[in-house]
Amino acid sequence: MFGLSLSKILLTALVIWLVWMLFKRIGGVARQGAARPSPAERARAAAEEVTRRQSAETEKAAGAALELQACPTCGSYGTPGSTCHCGYKHPSA
């Protein structure tokens, strides 16, 4: 009555395989809208972002030249608004 036969085993395997393929197809359709970038693409995007930030900082630093001011106490130079190692605060320009 409940004995195993080759046809029952094959039918069970076929049903399992069909369910598996159905879930794969449903998952593939769901993933198409939100495709994940590969690790190489993520690394390239991160490197481009770092390069973009560095170039922006370089342009910002190059565009704003500061006049250095001599410290009357020790004679070293500093930017306006900074504090010298001797404790003198350079006046802001």
Side-chain angles (χ1 to χ4, degrees):
M1 179 173 186
F2 293 110
L4 290 178
S5 66
L6 183 60
S7 62
K8 288 181 183 179
I9 293 172
L10 289 177
L11 181 66
T12 304
L14 178 68
V15 169
I16 290 172
W17 181 78
L18 286 174
V19 170
W20 184 335
M21 290 296 129
L22 179 69
F23 278 112
K24 275 180 63 173
R25 177 149 313 218
I26 291 171
V29 169
R31 274 185 254 131
Q32 282 179 352
R36 290 186 60 189
S38 68
E41 291 170 344
R42 289 193 308 251
R44 183 174 44 251
E48 289 173 356
E49 179 64 26
V50 168
T51 303
R52 188 171 29 256
R53 285 183 186 170
Q54 288 176 345
S55 65
E57 290 173 3
T58 303
E59 290 174 8
K60 181 180 175 184
L66 294 175
E67 193 73 30
L68 295 179
Q69 299 172 344
C71 175
T73 307
C74 64
S76 66
Y77 287 87
T79 58
S82 67
T83 304
C84 187
H85 61 82
C86 69
Y88 175 77
K89 177 152 177 61
H90 295 278
S92 298

